[in-house]
């Protein structure tokens, strides 16, 4: 510490420049830390097993696709992927139908029990007793004879549509009621107004709610895990992938885990690159509701 | 108009039916069986409050409650300040703002269980990439056992933070955008600098929104167990067992360290207790933050 430093003052410009640099270093460090696992798994899935376990590299030395082939054919990931697609697509469609129908009725008609219904939907969002509900749900599916199919998982996922319901009901305010009345005068009834007027106008909201339902069901782990305990051929991607962790020789199957994890995150990643705004809408819509 | 009401009931029916059958009935089922000794087969035996006295004596359960507290606190103490700072920065005019937003939000869209596998690949002590890199650049002399007794909780908290930052950043951003611009303009006219604007405009105006977000964050952090279940299954020696994971194992004894027998009656009682704990903590926070609001 010499005396001359004390007389040295920052010029305002230098101060601003230093502040900016510090800010950007911080922002980019956070970005790097958050991206690291995702980049690592995307690149790592192309490495040989040997490079994965002792290479200490991030960028693959040699690009090979054998991990994917091995996971797809040998480790049953083709089946997991098909199951995941089935569950997510049917759940999304089912959720949108159920939630949009009830939101339409609640928003447009005054009927007895409306307040109670809204309260019920809100309560399902907040009350959670964890995995306990899975047992009676499973018993119900056994009664219906659906416990050996993926329809059981789909129906239970659709039954949890409160989030989508609140996203949709928020959007309904923006559709003028005069439109319904005009359509009624033109000879539409309650059903055709819903089908021809309301649903087309709701498209942006349906996209957000649908994305929410798709993301939720694609990522769901606990429910399919419980339902597929005795039916391994029904496992979805997250379940099949997590099983590798506790399988025999988990440490030796790193390359399978890498490829499997990639298969599980790629669909969402691709959609996200094109529509990250919609993903953010999902979070905000759910909270606002 | 009468006709319209009938239509409305028809339209609400699917939603109502599904909610009652798969949402409300399981709750009632659990409310009934918490007073029974029932292991999933045979006849349930009514034991009154027996399950609850058992909970009071259940050291494993209370240690899992303690672990939940550590896990939630560790997660929130880093996540909330970090995401608030990021939101404040990204709320200003900045080059590449929307790209940064998209990057920070990205981790939140993936499945907790899948990401737990990715983090297993990273943190695995035997051949994980993190230890490989640390050893390669001589930052450590011997591999660190990230999933061992000393570090496992830290590792699970790191994963939780990684997955949550973007979410709360986004919620804070939404709150920040709700603050009217006139206030900032007025502050500028009065000669306030950036820090004064933050202190006298942003933070006070964000108060109510912040309260809601923190409340949400508390409930979510107490309920999270998926990634822990996949990564450590509550091990080693129950060090990372959180209460919802302990509950899961009572109901579905699976891989990892199993409890052996399915205990539906006791599990229902534990489920009810965990819900009470989450509700209680949320309520306490709500009361305290209200008091703070009155003071300021």
């Amino acid at each position: 510490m010499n005396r001359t430093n004390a007389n040295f003052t920052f010029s305002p410009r230098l101060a601003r420049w230093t502040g900016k640099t510090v800010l950007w270093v911080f922002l980019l460090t956070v970005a790097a830390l958050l991206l690291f696992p995702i980049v690592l798994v995307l690149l790592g899935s192309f490495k040989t097993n040997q490079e994965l376990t002792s290479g200490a590299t991030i960028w693959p030395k040699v690009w090979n696709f054998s991990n994917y082939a091995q996971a797809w054919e040998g480790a049953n990931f083709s089946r997991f992927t098909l199951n995941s697609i089935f569950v997510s697509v049917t759940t999304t469609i089912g959720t949108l139908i159920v939630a949009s129908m009830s939101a339409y009725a609640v928003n447009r008609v005054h009927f007895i029990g409306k307040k109670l219904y809204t309260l019920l939907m809100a309560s399902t969002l907040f009350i959670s007793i964890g995995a306990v509900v899975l047992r009676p749900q499973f018993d119900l599916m056994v009664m219906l004879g659906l416990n050996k199919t993926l329809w059981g998982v789909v129906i239970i996922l659709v039954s949890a549509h409160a989030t989508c319901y609140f996203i949709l009901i928020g959007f309904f305010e923006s559709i003028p009621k005069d439109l319904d009345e005009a359509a009624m005068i033109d000879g539409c009834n309650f059903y055709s107004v819903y089908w021809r007027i309301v649903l087309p106008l709701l498209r942006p909201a349906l996209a957000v709610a649908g994305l929410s339902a798709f993301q939720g069901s694609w990522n769901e782990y606990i429910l399919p895990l419980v339902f597929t305990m005795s039916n391994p051929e029904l496992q979805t991607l997250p379940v099949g992938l997590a099983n590798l962790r506790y399988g025999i020789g988990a440490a030796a199957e790193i390359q399978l885990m890498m490829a499997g994890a990639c298969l599980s995150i790629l669909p969402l990643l691709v959609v996200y690159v094109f529509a990250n705004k919609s993903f953010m809408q999902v979070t905000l819509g759910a909270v606002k509701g | 108009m009468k006709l319209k009401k009938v239509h409305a009931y028809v339209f609400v029916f699917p939603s109502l039916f599904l909610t009652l059958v798969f949402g409300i009935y399981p709750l009632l089922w659990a409310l009934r069986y918490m007073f029974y000794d029932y292991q999933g087969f045979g006849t349930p035996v009514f034991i009154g409050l027996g399950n609850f006295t058992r909970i009071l004596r259940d050291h494993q359960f209370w240690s899992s409650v303690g672990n939940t507290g550590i896990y939630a606190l560790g997660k929130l103490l880093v996540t909330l300040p970090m995401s608030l700072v990021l939101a404040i920065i990204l709320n200003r005019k900045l080059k590449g703002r929307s790209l940064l937003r998209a990057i920070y939000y990205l981790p939140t869209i993936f499945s907790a269980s899948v990401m737990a596998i990715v983090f297993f690949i990273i943190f695995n002590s035997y051949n994980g990439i993190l230890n490989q890199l640390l050893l390669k650049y001589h930052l450590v002399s011997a591999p660190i056992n990230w999933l061992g007794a000393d570090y496992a909780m830290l590792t699970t908290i790191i994963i939780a933070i990684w997955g949550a930052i973007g979410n709360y950043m986004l919620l804070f951003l939404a709150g920040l955008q709700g603050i009217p611009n006139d206030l900032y303009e007025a502050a500028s006219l009065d000669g306030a600098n950036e820090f004064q604007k933050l202190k006298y405009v942003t933070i006070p105006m964000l108060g109510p929104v912040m309260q809601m977000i923190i409340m949400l964050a508390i409930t979510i952090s107490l309920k999270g167990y998926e990634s822990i279940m996949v990564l450590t299954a509550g091990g080693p020696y129950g060090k990372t067992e959180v209460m919802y994971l302990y509950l899961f194992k009572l109901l579905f004894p699976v891989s990892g360290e199993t409890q052996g027998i399915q205990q539906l009656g006791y599990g229902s009682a534990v489920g009810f207790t965990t819900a009470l704990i989450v509700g209680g903590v949320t309520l306490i926070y709500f009361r305290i933050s209200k008091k703070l609001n009155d003071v300021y």
Side-chain angles (χ1 to χ4, degrees):
Chain A
M1 280 309 194
N2 52 15
R3 293 287 305 270
T4 50
N5 266 357
N7 306 331
F8 177 77
T9 49
F10 272 134
S11 72
R13 218 161 136 194
L14 193 63
R16 208 171 327 132
W17 187 84
T18 316
K20 259 206 158 111
T21 314
V22 170
L23 183 75
W24 275 102
V25 167
F26 169 72
L27 288 176
L28 293 175
T29 309
V30 174
L33 284 173
L34 291 180
L35 282 178
F36 176 71
I38 299 164
V39 172
L40 188 82
V41 81
L42 290 176
L43 293 173
S45 61
F46 297 105
K47 293 179 195 169
T48 59
N49 201 15
Q50 192 200 344
E51 191 182 349
L52 280 173
T53 49
S54 57
T57 53
I58 293 183
W59 197 261
K61 286 184 187 123
V62 186
W63 292 75
N64 77 15
F65 292 82
S66 63
N67 298 339
Y68 283 95
Q70 207 186 335
W72 192 254
E73 284 157 18
N76 234 345
F77 271 87
S78 51
R79 176 125 292 276
F80 302 154
T81 308
L82 283 177
N83 289 340
S84 266
I85 291 172
F86 170 79
V87 168
S88 304
V89 171
T90 42
T91 299
T92 306
I93 295 169
T95 302
L96 287 182
I97 292 171
V98 171
S100 67
M101 277 169 64
S102 78
Y104 172 53
V106 167
N107 182 268
R108 292 299 202 248
V109 188
H110 289 287
F111 57 91
I112 299 158
K114 198 158 114 168
K115 276 218 163 65
L116 201 63
Y117 169 78
T118 310
L119 193 70
L120 182 76
M121 293 305 273
S123 70
T124 56
L125 281 180
F126 293 111
I127 299 170
S128 150
I129 53 171
V132 183
V133 293
L134 289 168
R135 173 66 197 217
Q137 284 174 341
F138 187 78
D139 290 347
L140 282 170
M141 286 304 163
V142 173
M143 257 165 46
L144 295 167
L146 293 173
N147 59 317
K148 291 207 181 339
T149 69
L150 278 171
W151 284 104
V153 175
V154 170
I155 291 171
I156 292 171
L157 284 173
V158 171
S159 77
H161 57 267
T163 314
C164 285
Y165 165 81
F166 284 113
I167 291 176
L168 291 177
I169 203 110
F171 274 90
F172 257 100
E173 296 303 326
S174 63
I175 301 176
K177 286 186 179 157
D178 312 352
L179 275 178
D180 299 22
E181 278 152 26
M184 292 263 185
I185 291 164
D186 286 342
C188 280
N189 62 19
F190 192 77
Y191 302 92
S192 47
V193 169
Y194 164 77
W195 193 249
R196 291 185 182 180
I197 313 281
V198 172
L199 279 190
L201 285 172
L202 260 189
R203 222 171 276 159
L206 289 173
V208 172
L211 191 61
S212 156
F214 186 88
Q215 191 190 345
S217 48
W218 183 264
N219 287 342
E220 183 64 39
Y221 169 65
I222 304 286
L223 184 67
L225 171 76
V226 168
F227 266 72
T228 59
M229 275 177 184
S230 51
N231 307 300
E233 73 282 1
L234 294 181
Q235 286 174 353
T236 55
L237 276 170
V239 180
L241 183 66
N243 278 351
L244 287 179
R245 161 85 174 85
Y246 293 103
I248 302 154
E253 291 188 322
I254 294 282
Q255 83 284 16
L256 282 185
M257 286 188 196
M258 282 272 192
C262 269
L263 284 173
S264 315
I265 65 175
L266 268 176
L268 286 180
L269 191 61
V270 170
V271 180
Y272 186 79
V273 167
F274 292 106
N276 60 60
K277 290 268 190 309
S278 309
F279 271 93
M280 295 184 184
Q281 284 261 311
V282 168
T283 301
L284 295 175
V287 173
K288 270 188 194 141
Chain B
M1 278 297 116
K2 258 249 165 356
L3 192 67
K4 222 175 163 184
K5 281 206 171 86
V6 174
H7 293 318
Y9 285 122
V10 170
F11 263 54
V12 173
F13 179 77
S15 162
L16 187 65
F17 177 79
L18 285 171
T19 307
L20 288 176
V21 173
F22 296 104
I24 303 300
Y25 163 74
L27 281 178
L28 299 176
W29 183 96
L31 282 178
R32 177 180 170 215
Y33 279 110
M34 43 189 211
F35 304 111
Y36 285 79
D37 180 13
Y38 180 40
Q39 301 190 331
F41 50 85
T43 332
V45 183
F46 183 78
I47 51 166
L49 293 175
N51 283 327
F52 291 95
T53 52
R54 186 177 153 191
I55 288 176
L56 292 177
R57 293 194 311 270
D58 186 346
H59 294 300
Q60 231 185 322
F61 172 69
W62 292 109
S63 90
S64 81
V65 173
N67 287 338
T68 312
I70 297 168
Y71 175 76
L73 259 179
K75 176 183 172 183
L76 296 178
L77 286 178
V78 178
T79 306
L80 291 172
M82 268 294 276
S83 44
L84 181 59
V85 167
L86 288 174
I88 288 172
I89 295 172
L90 292 189
N91 196 35
R92 303 171 47 189
K93 286 190 173 51
L94 196 75
K95 275 199 198 84
R97 184 168 70 167
S98 51
L99 179 67
L100 279 173
R101 249 183 235 180
I103 289 174
Y104 296 153
Y105 188 72
L106 178 64
T108 65
I109 69 168
F110 300 121
S111 158
S113 57
V114 170
M115 285 328 291
I117 290 288
V118 172
F119 277 94
F120 170 73
I121 296 167
I122 294 172
F123 282 101
N124 185 0
S125 56
Y126 158 66
N127 56 11
I129 181 94
L130 183 63
N131 276 344
Q132 287 178 38
L133 290 172
L134 289 174
L135 289 166
K136 185 177 167 185
Y137 295 108
H138 303 292
L139 294 167
V140 295
S141 52
I144 294 177
N145 190 358
W146 291 107
L147 302 176
D150 298 340
Y151 291 103
M153 186 49 116
L154 180 69
T155 307
T156 54
I157 290 174
I158 289 173
I159 296 178
I161 293 167
W162 180 86
I165 280 185
N167 205 8
Y168 296 112
M169 172 205 73
L170 189 67
L171 296 176
F172 281 130
L173 260 173
L176 287 170
Q177 276 156 8
I179 301 174
N181 233 344
D182 323 357
L183 291 176
Y184 289 111
E185 279 163 19
S188 297
L189 286 178
D190 292 342
N193 63 25
E194 289 297 320
F195 281 105
Q196 285 167 323
K197 280 186 202 170
L198 197 66
K199 193 178 162 190
Y200 295 109
V201 181
T202 311
I203 301 292
M205 286 301 291
L206 204 59
V209 178
M210 203 139 65
Q211 208 175 340
M212 285 302 294
I213 294 174
I214 294 174
M215 210 162 90
L216 188 77
I218 290 173
T219 22
I220 291 178
S221 65
L222 292 174
K223 286 178 187 174
Y225 70 102
E226 265 186 48
S227 60
I228 302 179
M229 186 166 151
V230 175
L231 190 79
T232 64
Y237 321 113
K239 287 260 188 216
T240 55
E241 183 135 291
V242 289
M243 56 191 185
Y244 274 92
L245 180 57
Y246 176 69
L247 171 65
F248 182 87
K249 288 181 181 176
L250 285 175
L251 297 152
F252 302 97
V254 276
S255 61
E257 307 159 23
T258 59
Q259 308 275 338
I261 316 161
Q262 214 179 27
Q263 309 188 55
L264 298 180
Y266 185 55
S268 298
V270 170
F272 184 74
T273 311
T274 50
L276 278 185
I277 291 172
V278 173
V281 171
T282 316
L283 201 69
I284 289 168
Y285 165 77
F286 193 70
R287 283 279 157 81
I288 291 174
S289 66
K290 242 192 143 81
K291 271 220 167 66
L292 286 178
N293 263 2
D294 297 344
V295 171
Y296 283 108

